[in-house]
Amino acid sequence: TLLGGALLMLLIAAANVAGLQVSLASRHQRGLAIRSALGASPRRLTAHVLAESVVLTAMSLVAALAVAWTLLRLLLWLAPGDVPRLAEVALLDWRVVAFGAAATFATATICAWWPVLVARRVDGLSVLAHGPSVASDPGGRRIQRAIVVAQVGTAVALLFGTALFLRTVRSLDATVLGFDPEHLLSFSVGAPTENVVRWNAFTDRLLARVRAIPGVRSASMALVRPLNGPIGWDNQPGFPGQRVEDPSTWGLNPHLNFVAVSPGYFETMRTRLLRGRVFTDADATTAPGAVIVSEAAARRLWPGKDPIGQLLREPSYRVGARDAPAGTWQTVVGVVQDVRFRGLNDVRLDLYAPLSQTNNRAPNLLIRLEGETGSVSAAIRAAVKEVDPAGSIGEAVTMRSVVDGESAPWRFLMRVFVAFALVAALLAIVGLAAVVTLAVAGRRRELAIRAALGAGRRRLRWLVLRETLGLTGLGVLLGVAAAVGLGRGVAPLLIGVRPDDPLTLAAVASGAAVAGLLAAWAPARRASRADPLEALRTE
């Protein structure tokens, strides 16, 4: 996505350079004509123009390296802190400099092609006899207009992408996570034993000890915790009428995000119970099998039916120390809200089971604190060693920091695209204003005659603005088409907004049209207030 935005910025910069080269070519016609009259060959004129372009490009490259170094510091400051090998990013890498230099010289060479064509086909006698005019070259004017249309279109596409990311960040802030990350800590507990029964006994004692620590409101164990990465536990449950020993009967069942938890998990996470009940200490090893499903899973598995009381069997279900008999089923006892387990934009079909009824060891200790009570890590570590000296525990992870880290890439993209869009819009406005100014200079005599014949200032101003409206309109249409393609390209990164959102497109297009009018207003106003006698006399 960033590479695409950078390429669009390069396109706009190239368009500006190309427009400048076209303008310079028109202004340098007299100098080229004199050199041609003195015997300079077309090859010599071409070499002169290319040499000038190379010198300007080399000077620009030196300045660009200084600007790039500054922007790199800014990007490193804006980038999320957990980006791998972020500290190794450096502008002084010769490969980076070589790539930038090659791209710069290639762009400048391509943009200098129009002045080369002008140099090769300059009519020395005509230019020396009648004088050069910025607007006298119809081909140059057409190219400048095409460049402005491309600039406006590219700016519209970047602005649209920026608007999509802005709305995505707003949607992230309003995303219902399915749990409350405030004052919620997560610890990774190391196994003191490989035996599931002994592990469950260890976690039961650990939870009782942790819950007694001052400042701890509740605690629970879980097989996986939310936002722990894109990898999780996917189980395909079986349903009545399907034989477990025959995969063809249940092989097409949907995969469910499986989470084994201890009693108190939903209270600790503050995941809302929508129907039925949560797990209790009564859901022990020898008790009837019980499961809880998420709202999305209930709609998918039993559409139009009451999920409470429905039967299924997930692969890790155990009764005592042996696998559950084939005829033993688990009953849905509750429905809870959907939880963003794998990512902020990833809602799965969640299936919860009591830890005591599975063959899994849950290594995640989740603790909800009373408030800002300070660090409890030392007390938690002491509790683990007190319960079993062979146990271990990792560093505390605040779930608020996890949520912020999940949203950091989108916020980084949003900031970079805002910068891209602002620069693109500025360059497009400057390019449009330059073309209008050149057009006014080329039509100076025409406007003076119209004014002398009685055309009012409003009429003259409209004549100038009409061309601007046409160029801006074409650029907006081109930009809307490009924006739809850009939206589809970044669709996997969007949350809560369509990639072709019509309201966003309309707002960006309207803003581009208004910006185009503002860019042309000053040249149009200046043209309408010019003295016709003075304009005709200077012509």
Side-chain angles (χ1 to χ4, degrees):
T1 302
L2 290 177
L3 181 60
L7 289 176
L8 289 177
M9 285 295 299
L10 178 61
L11 177 62
I12 291 183
N16 260 342
V17 174
L20 177 62
Q21 294 280 20
V22 172
S23 176
L24 288 176
S26 299
R27 293 179 180 274
H28 291 174
Q29 284 184 16
R30 185 175 183 86
L32 295 174
I34 294 175
R35 286 184 174 87
S36 178
L38 292 176
S41 64
R43 178 180 295 181
R44 187 65 177 269
L45 295 177
T46 299
H48 171 76
V49 173
L50 288 179
E52 183 182 59
S53 177
V54 169
V55 171
L56 290 175
T57 303
M59 295 172 62
S60 301
L61 183 59
V62 174
L65 288 175
V67 175
W69 186 87
T70 304
L71 291 179
L72 179 63
R73 300 295 100 191
L74 178 61
L75 285 175
L76 291 178
W77 178 71
L78 292 176
D82 58 350
V83 176
R85 303 175 65 181
L86 188 64
E88 300 179 23
V89 177
L91 182 64
L92 297 180
D93 190 325
W94 69 268
R95 292 168 296 183
V96 176
V97 177
F99 174 80
T104 302
F105 276 99
T107 303
T109 302
I110 294 173
C111 293
W113 189 247
W114 181 256
V116 169
L117 293 179
V118 172
R120 295 183 67 90
R121 62 184 178 85
V122 63
D123 184 355
L125 294 178
S126 176
V127 172
L128 291 176
H130 303 288
S133 174
V134 172
S136 62
D137 185 359
R141 292 190 63 186
R142 284 194 297 269
I143 288 183
Q144 285 181 321
R145 290 170 178 170
I147 288 172
V148 168
V149 170
Q151 282 181 318
V152 173
T154 307
V156 167
L158 277 175
L159 286 170
F160 180 68
T162 301
L164 291 181
F165 283 122
L166 284 171
R167 294 190 60 180
T168 292
V169 170
R170 290 187 60 186
S171 298
L172 285 174
D173 293 335
T175 295
V176 178
L177 301 173
F179 65 95
D180 182 6
E182 304 298 335
H183 312 308
L184 183 62
L185 299 181
S186 172
F187 295 87
S188 177
V189 179
T193 177
E194 296 294 330
N195 182 274
V196 175
V197 176
R198 291 177 57 194
W199 169 263
N200 288 338
F202 163 75
T203 56
D204 288 342
R205 296 195 303 273
L206 176 62
L207 287 175
R209 180 68 182 84
V210 168
R211 289 165 181 161
I213 296 176
V216 174
R217 179 186 293 270
S218 60
S220 178
M221 302 297 298
L223 179 63
V224 293
R225 67 162 174 80
L227 303 180
N228 198 29
I231 306 300
W233 291 72
D234 288 320
N235 279 353
Q236 280 182 291
F239 298 94
Q242 299 175 338
R243 293 184 302 165
V244 176
E245 63 273 12
D246 184 5
S248 65
T249 63
W250 54 268
L252 297 180
N253 292 344
H255 286 80
L256 306 186
N257 176 58
F258 177 69
V259 188
V261 299
S262 66
Y265 171 82
F266 299 104
E267 294 87 343
T268 300
M269 300 299 293
R270 289 184 179 171
T271 299
R272 288 188 299 112
L273 177 68
L274 304 180
R275 299 197 59 187
R277 66 173 179 86
V278 297
F279 297 136
T280 65
D281 292 333
D283 296 305
T285 302
T286 57
V291 293
I292 294 174
V293 296
S294 65
E295 187 178 14
R299 287 196 304 265
R300 172 71 182 278
L301 300 178
W302 303 284
K305 298 181 181 179
D306 185 1
I308 304 299
Q310 299 290 341
L311 302 178
L312 58 82
R313 183 173 185 267
E314 55 87 17
S316 67
Y317 179 42
R318 293 171 64 90
V319 175
R322 65 185 186 280
D323 290 333
T328 305
W329 297 96
Q330 295 161 284
T331 304
V332 177
V333 298
V335 178
V336 296
Q337 69 181 122
D338 298 326
V339 175
R340 311 276 173 154
F341 265 95
R342 309 285 180 90
L344 295 180
N345 61 338
D346 190 359
V347 176
R348 302 282 175 131
L349 309 178
D350 301 326
L351 174 65
Y352 302 88
L355 267 175
S356 57
Q357 295 183 1
T358 73
N359 57 6
N360 302 111
R361 290 182 290 105
N364 294 287
L365 172 62
L366 296 158
I367 298 174
R368 179 163 298 280
L369 303 178
E370 294 284 355
E372 300 295 340
T373 57
S375 175
V376 296
S377 298
I380 302 297
R381 294 180 186 280
V384 171
K385 294 300 182 181
E386 179 181 322
V387 173
D388 193 325
S392 62
I393 190 168
E395 295 295 327
V397 176
T398 62
M399 292 304 295
R400 167 46 62 189
S401 66
V402 171
V403 173
D404 292 341
E406 285 287 323
S407 65
W410 281 279
R411 298 182 188 278
F412 175 65
L413 279 174
M414 181 266 295
R415 295 185 187 114
V416 174
F417 262 77
V418 165
F420 282 173
L422 290 177
V423 174
L426 177 61
L427 292 177
I429 289 174
V430 170
L432 184 60
V435 166
V436 174
T437 302
L438 290 172
V440 169
R443 301 177 63 183
R444 188 178 181 186
R445 184 178 181 83
E446 173 198 344
L447 295 174
I449 293 175
R450 289 179 180 273
L453 293 177
R457 290 183 175 180
R458 181 177 298 178
R459 175 66 177 173
L460 296 176
R461 193 160 49 239
W462 167 246
L463 289 175
V464 176
L465 292 177
R466 185 172 58 186
E467 181 177 3
T468 304
L469 286 174
L471 294 176
T472 304
L474 287 176
V476 168
L477 290 178
L478 176 65
V480 167
V484 172
L486 177 64
R488 291 175 180 174
V490 301
L493 301 176
L494 304 179
I495 298 176
V497 58
R498 290 175 47 185
D500 57 348
D501 183 62
L503 292 179
T504 305
L505 275 174
V508 170
S510 301
V514 172
L517 286 177
L518 292 177
W521 183 256
R525 186 168 177 269
R526 189 162 51 250
S528 66
R529 294 191 173 188
D531 184 357
L533 295 179
E534 181 181 353
L536 291 173
R537 185 167 52 250
T538 55
E539 286 288 335

